[in-house]
Structures are given as structure tokens and as C-alpha cells.
Amino acid sequence: MKKSYVLIFLLGVFLFPFQSEINAQDEKKLTIVVKDAQNKPIPGAVILFDNVRLKRWTNKKGVFKAKFTETPKEISAFYPKIGISKIAYNGGSKVEIVIKDGNDLGLNRGPNSKGIKAMQFRNIYDYLRGQVPGVNVGQNNQINIRGFNSINGSTTPLFVLNSNAVDQVVLETVVPTTIRSVVILKGPEASKYGSRGANGVIEINTF
């Protein structure tokens, strides 16, 4: 019996470090540099792997360092004042993402612009609940346009952020204080988006 315990102990001593070494070897490191069209770094940009938002943001130099075991197929960088840019990831330890300002709707507030007390809202969901009529936001943050019934059972509208169609994951990154306007489209108004606008459209523009 004692020999059995000794054997198990020895196996643990030799196998567990080996397993840890394998796991360390499987982990990959990636440096992501985010810049604008003028080749300037963008601090505070959100990074997404296959449309899944990562927890941190780019630093003041526009750099984001990530560790992962599952290789993403696509990497996105999003900044509310400019837009979003996606690239296909083909491996490598460093990538650069350029967010162009072609969809920038302007950063200057009009002379008659009035604050909407956006500071009281913790996130985009609170903002939609309290500030946008015609939109329902459920307890689990399901979003649908009020009075809209879907034939196929799905009621999730199309989200358009600064003229770009985005997933709800990207929508979550919008800071309420940066919102310039929200427009709800349904029926004929949403027809310009084709079948993508079948459940209605929520257009959000930021400063």
C-alpha cells in the first residue's frame, strides 16, 4: 500500500509540472497597435476577438497586449468617436489596426445643443431604457422595438453605430455621454437596410 502512495506521489511530482509547461506553451501572446488615419495612436479603443469584447482598452500609446489559447479568426478595434475596423488574424505576434475617420459625423456640438443628463446612465442599456421612447430593454438586456412583432420569432433590431452595422457586443461599448442622437426606424423607414432591418433599426450617432 505504501508503495502505491509513493508511486502516485512521484507521478504527481513529474506529471503536473509537465502539464503546466504544456499549457504555458499553448498560450500565445499578441500585441495590438491601434491608430487613426493620421497614424496617431488611439488610447481607450475597445478590442474584440471574433466579436467578443475583451476586458481592457488600449493604453495611452494605443497598444493592447493580449494572451490567448484559442486563436481568433478576426480582431476588431472600436472607438466611439471614429468607428470600428476589423482585420483577419493570420497569426503573428503583432498586428496593427487602423480606424479610419471616414464615418466620423463630427465632434463639434451645435450651438443649440442641450445636455440630456447622460451621466445618470451607467451604460447603453440604461440610456435606451430611460431616454429613448419606443424601445424595450429586458432584464437580460434583450432589445426590441416596441409594438414590433416578428414572424420568425426574433425581435432583435439592427444596430447601426455611426453608419456601421454592429453587433450588440459592440453596442455595449458605447458610453452614454458620447451619444449625439438615437433614431428608431421601422416599417418603410427601415427598408433602406433591406432584410437586415426586418426587425427595425436603431441608429446611434456619437460625438
Side-chain angles (χ1 to χ4, degrees):
M1 182 65 68
K2 290 184 179 180
K3 290 183 178 180
S4 299
Y5 286 133
V6 172
L7 179 59
I8 293 173
F9 174 77
L10 291 175
L11 286 173
V13 169
F14 287 103
L15 289 181
F16 286 135
F18 180 71
Q19 184 64 42
S20 299
E21 184 178 351
I22 292 176
N23 292 337
Q25 291 175 352
D26 290 341
E27 187 177 70
K28 299 179 181 178
K29 296 181 180 180
L30 174 64
T31 299
I32 303 169
V33 181
V34 182
K35 299 181 178 180
D36 62 15
Q38 286 73 44
N39 202 37
K40 295 181 179 179
I42 301 180
V46 176
I47 303 298
L48 303 95
F49 281 4
D50 294 330
N51 289 327
V52 177
R53 178 186 176 184
L54 303 186
K55 294 182 179 181
R56 295 175 290 106
W57 299 265
T58 54
N59 61 22
K60 62 182 179 180
K61 295 182 179 180
V63 175
F64 185 99
K65 294 186 177 181
K67 295 180 181 180
F68 58 90
T69 54
E70 295 184 8
T71 303
K73 296 180 180 179
E74 184 180 73
I75 300 175
S76 306
F78 169 73
Y79 189 68
K81 292 183 179 180
I82 304 177
I84 186 171
S85 182
K86 301 180 181 181
I87 63 169
Y89 179 60
N90 298 318
S93 59
K94 184 177 182 179
V95 298
E96 181 176 301
I97 302 177
V98 178
I99 305 179
K100 297 181 180 180
D101 56 0
N103 64 340
D104 185 0
L105 299 180
L107 304 180
N108 297 322
R109 300 174 184 265
N112 298 323
S113 176
K114 296 181 179 179
I116 55 175
K117 298 181 180 179
M119 288 294 292
Q120 65 181 300
F121 303 111
R122 296 174 300 173
N123 51 45
I124 184 64
Y125 298 114
D126 283 352
Y127 181 92
L128 292 175
R129 287 188 186 100
Q131 195 66 31
V132 183
V135 174
N136 289 325
V137 181
Q139 292 183 351
N140 295 323
N141 295 331
Q142 306 99 328
I143 300 174
N144 61 73
I145 295 176
R146 192 174 303 159
F148 184 86
N149 295 319
S150 176
I151 298 176
N152 59 14
S154 174
T155 59
T156 303
L158 174 68
F159 305 114
V160 178
L161 179 61
N162 292 336
S163 302
N164 291 313
V166 299
D167 296 324
Q168 189 167 337
V169 174
V170 175
L171 189 73
E172 292 178 351
T173 66
V174 176
V175 179
T177 53
T178 67
I179 294 176
R180 179 182 183 182
S181 65
V182 178
V183 179
I184 307 301
L185 304 177
K186 56 183 178 180
E189 296 177 332
S191 61
K192 64 180 180 180
Y193 291 101
S195 60
R196 295 184 303 167
N199 292 334
V201 181
I202 298 178
E203 293 181 338
I204 298 178
N205 295 323
T206 60
F207 288 106

